[in-house]
Amino acid sequence: MTARKRKHANKTPVSQTVPGYFSLRSAWDVLVIAVLLGVVAYSAYWIRTYHPGLLAWPQIQQVTVEGEVHADDREAFKEIVTAHVAKGFFRIPMGRLQQELAELPWIYQVNVRRTWPATLEVTVYEQNPIARWGKTGLMNVYGGIFFPESVSAPHTALPMLYGEEARAAVLAGIFERNIRRLEPLGLQLQGLFEDDRLSKHLVLSNGVILVLGHGELGKKVTRFITAYEEYLSPHMEQVKKIDLRYTNGLAVEWKDPQLAGNFKLEHKL
């Protein structure tokens, strides 16, 4: 009997909760959280309304720019940076700032970062154009196309390329390879044009057009170089166009059609 009473005495009472009801402690916790949220919301409203300057603390005191900002972009660059700096050190949306700056025509790439306690560092990589793209665009060294407000000197003297924008990098590679091949002959390339059928035309600085068509471009340029070295070189001032879209030969269009017969007669001797 004593053992049975002792056994019952060692049992810990189990509290039971009634479903659908909160305990007094749970209700108090909810009330405290609600009050805290109200305080935070009111504080944010009070700061925004009466002391908005506190949201921009700490203020950016210095902006450093590494690299060149093109003259055409400087005003817009300053406006973008100034608008974001006013938001304060911690509230600058760095991704958005970087994106807005990168959209300026003469900026190829830009990096921004904060340096504690009050500095914004901006590193700018300016576009480096190597050719014109049509009448209004420019091509950078990576084959990328950009469209500034205007194409002015000295960029108007650059070679011109044109075709589908999606093929800009391909055309840049073709142009570069042929520049290296023709330079030893004293010939300079001034343009490369590709039409809707991917047929290509090279334009020399003396105005002569090389019609390459599509396919086997390297062989066609080699054929031109051979013809140039053997007999065309002394007569290039009279040449208007050279058509290389033949399997093994080429056709020359002269500025003066009467020269065609004289040229053939001369080379039969």
Side-chain angles (χ1 to χ4, degrees):
M1 187 69 178
T2 305
R4 184 179 298 174
K5 290 181 179 181
R6 188 180 298 120
K7 183 176 180 180
H8 285 288
N10 290 335
K11 287 186 177 181
T12 303
V14 178
S15 61
Q16 296 182 352
T17 58
V18 179
Y21 291 90
F22 289 104
S23 67
L24 182 60
R25 181 175 179 82
S26 297
W28 176 254
D29 291 342
V30 171
L31 179 61
V32 170
I33 293 173
V35 170
L36 290 176
L37 290 175
V39 171
V40 170
Y42 177 78
S43 299
Y45 166 79
W46 183 79
I47 291 174
R48 286 196 305 268
T49 305
Y50 301 104
H51 296 280
L54 293 176
L55 296 174
W57 183 91
Q59 289 281 355
I60 296 290
Q61 300 296 330
Q62 182 180 18
V63 177
T64 64
V65 180
E66 182 179 350
E68 291 292 329
V69 179
H70 194 274
D72 291 349
D73 285 348
R74 285 174 189 165
E75 190 64 30
F77 182 92
K78 181 179 179 181
E79 290 178 0
I80 292 171
V81 172
T82 301
H84 285 290
V85 162
K87 299 173 183 177
F89 187 86
F90 291 112
R91 300 189 72 227
I92 296 178
M94 302 297 282
R96 187 184 305 171
L97 170 59
Q98 185 165 301
Q99 179 181 355
E100 290 180 12
L101 292 176
E103 289 175 354
L104 295 177
W106 282 97
I107 292 182
Y108 171 69
Q109 186 176 347
V110 60
N111 295 321
V112 295
R113 70 188 186 102
R114 290 172 289 218
T115 301
W116 181 259
T119 301
L120 178 69
E121 298 179 357
V122 184
T123 304
V124 175
Y125 301 91
E126 189 180 3
Q127 296 276 17
N128 183 14
I130 59 170
R132 290 175 292 159
W133 183 260
K135 295 181 179 179
T136 59
L138 292 170
M139 173 183 285
N140 62 29
V141 294
Y142 306 102
I145 306 300
F146 65 101
F147 296 90
E149 291 185 2
S150 63
V151 178
S152 56
H155 302 114
T156 52
L158 291 172
M160 180 181 290
L161 282 71
Y162 191 70
E164 292 186 11
E165 287 189 33
R167 288 179 51 80
V170 174
L171 295 179
I174 294 172
F175 190 77
E176 181 64 26
R177 286 192 295 273
N178 285 290
I179 284 178
R180 293 196 299 266
R181 296 195 66 185
L182 297 176
E183 273 184 344
L185 304 177
L187 299 174
Q188 294 181 345
L189 276 182
Q190 190 61 28
L192 167 61
F193 302 89
E194 183 180 72
D195 60 24
D196 295 339
R197 295 176 296 177
L198 304 185
S199 179
K200 298 164 187 63
H201 297 66
L202 291 176
V203 181
L204 302 180
S205 59
N206 57 11
V208 176
I209 300 173
L210 305 182
V211 183
L212 300 180
H214 57 82
E216 298 186 330
L217 301 183
K219 291 182 179 180
K220 293 174 181 177
V221 173
T222 298
R223 193 183 311 147
F224 164 73
I225 291 174
T226 300
Y228 178 84
E229 292 177 331
E230 290 184 359
Y231 54 84
L232 278 177
S233 177
H235 308 280
M236 286 298 287
E237 291 184 0
Q238 303 300 326
V239 174
K240 180 178 181 180
K241 183 187 297 183
I242 300 175
D243 193 340
L244 294 150
R245 295 175 295 177
Y246 297 89
T247 303
N248 295 312
L250 56 84
V252 178
E253 181 181 342
W254 302 90
K255 295 177 181 178
D256 184 352
Q258 294 182 355
L259 292 176
N262 295 335
F263 181 78
K264 291 178 181 177
L265 178 63
E266 176 185 344
H267 286 280
K268 284 181 180 179
L269 300 176

